[in-house]
């Protein structure tokens, strides 16, 4: 074989993928968990789930490639999302990360190659391989509702949170309860198996193709025992809005929060009203869990009236642009991504109390920016 090679990732590479992820300080998962991410996506089709870069037979880098289908004016568009770019910090310098990103961007058969959740180290590198930040600074916004102010206040005091608060505190998101708001019934995903999702595909705008089976895949992470699920807003058996939620931690020594990992809604007045009802339900679940806050990235996907009706909230901005893309379809120029279009449902850190397997040394690791020095 040649000294350097890029090839499609396979099951035999999973130990190396896990090794690189731990080395770079990304949230780790088991080999079974990586198999779920890479090989179980029902929409992946024949498109490679990712690639590895080898030097003299040793895996020096990995990048994932997650496919999602979209509908626009009667067409189906397949978008590829790049994720989990990791390189061997102790291996020879081969610019492996940059070469993998270029290889992924040049893949055929997709309407776009996107990164909607890239970190501040990779952000300035992506335009060098032809990815543009087409959403500009609007992609940097996120919204937060403080649901447990006492915990946040205590965390600011000297001595902060004890170990039990950081690592062992049990939390429960009650996805299984049923509720009513106005003319809507709000139920767990399991109660919406036979529901009609057609209303979520808006006319004149690009929307992700969605079904109960696809959503069930997103919450079937084998590395989790819970803390992730969907709430579905129904009207006469039709899905008018849905929200995916995940209990997570920005870092091991920071407070837990609930992240909105998916948000879709019907058009018109019924969709607006459904979003108001559903966002209130998400806030109720978060408060009942005693998590510190509810966080929503890409808030432009939510109707402004719903954000206003949900009450006082913070608008935050990250310092880098987390959204870049190689857009090959004109439809994408006016597309407004939401949290469900990102890799949030598998890339967020899982709190130890929600893990299905004990953590290995280094498995629950902090955000270590120095780990990203070698990006190529």
């Amino acid at each position: 074989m040649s000294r350097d090679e890029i090839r499609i990732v396979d099951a035999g590479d999973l130990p190396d993928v896990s090794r690189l992820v731990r080395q770079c300080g990304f949230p780790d998962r088991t080999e079974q968990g990586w198999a779920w991410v890479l090989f179980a996506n029902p929409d992946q089709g024949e498109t490679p789930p990712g690639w590895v870069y080898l030097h003299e037979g040793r895996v020096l880098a990995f990048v994932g490639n997650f496919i999602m289908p979209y509908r626009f004016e009667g067409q189906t568009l397949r978008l590829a999302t790049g994720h989990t770019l990791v390189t061997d910090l102790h291996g020879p310098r081969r610019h492996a990360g940059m070469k993998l990103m270029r290889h992924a961007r040049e893949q055929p058969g997709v309407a776009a190659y996107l990164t909607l959740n890239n970190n501040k180290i990779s952000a300035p590198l992506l335009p060098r391989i032809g990815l543009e930040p087409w959403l500009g600074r609007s992609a940097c916004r996120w919204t937060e509702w403080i649901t447990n102010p006492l915990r946040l206040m205590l965390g600011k005091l000297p001595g902060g949170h004890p170990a039990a608060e950081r690592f062992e505190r049990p939390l429960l998101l009650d996805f299984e309860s049923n509720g009513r708001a106005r003319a809507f019934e709000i139920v767990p995903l399991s109660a919406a198996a036979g529901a009609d999702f057609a209303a979520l595909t808006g006319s004149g705008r690009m929307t992700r193709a969605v079904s109960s089976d696809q959503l069930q895949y997103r919450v079937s992470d084998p590395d989790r025992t819970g803390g992730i699920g969907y709430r579905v807003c129904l009207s006469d058996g039709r899905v008018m809005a849905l929200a995916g939620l995940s209990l997570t931690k920005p870092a091991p020594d920071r407070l837990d929060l609930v992240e909105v990992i998916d948000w879709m809604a019907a058009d018109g007045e019924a969709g607006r009203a459904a979003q108001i009802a559903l966002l209130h339900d998400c806030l109720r679940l978060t408060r009942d869990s005693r998590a510190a806050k509810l966080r929503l990235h890409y808030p432009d996907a939510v109707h402004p009236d719903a954000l206003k009706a949900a009450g006082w909230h913070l608008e935050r901005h990250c310092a880098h642009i987390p959204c870049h893309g190689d857009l090959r379809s004109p439809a994408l120029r006016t597309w407004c991504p939401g949290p469900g279009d990102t890799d949030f449902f598998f890339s967020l850190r899982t709190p130890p109390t929600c893990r299905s397997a004990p953590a290995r040394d280094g498995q629950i690791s902090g955000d270590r920016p120095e780990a990203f020095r070698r990006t190529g």
Side-chain angles (χ1 to χ4, degrees), residues 165-185:
E165 177 76 2
R166 292 198 306 267
F167 293 109
E168 303 300 336
R169 183 175 174 274
L171 295 165
L172 174 65
L173 278 171
D174 182 16
F175 291 106
E176 296 306 310
S177 63
N178 290 348
R180 294 202 66 88
R182 301 187 182 183
F184 304 107
E185 185 180 9

Side-chain angles (χ1 to χ4, degrees), residues 205-256:
R205 63 184 175 94
M206 194 173 83
T207 51
R208 196 175 84 245
V210 64
S211 69
S212 58
D213 289 343
Q214 291 165 330
L215 299 179
Q216 189 58 54
Y217 161 73
R218 289 180 171 236
V219 294
S220 61
D221 187 346
D223 286 346
R224 271 186 176 262
T225 59
I228 189 169
Y230 272 88
R231 299 290 285 169
V232 181
C233 190
L234 298 172
S235 176
D236 296 325
R238 302 178 71 213
V239 178
M240 303 307 296
L242 62 82
L245 302 176
S246 178
L247 185 65
T248 185
K249 294 171 82 67
D253 57 351
R254 294 175 63 184
L255 285 174
D256 42 65

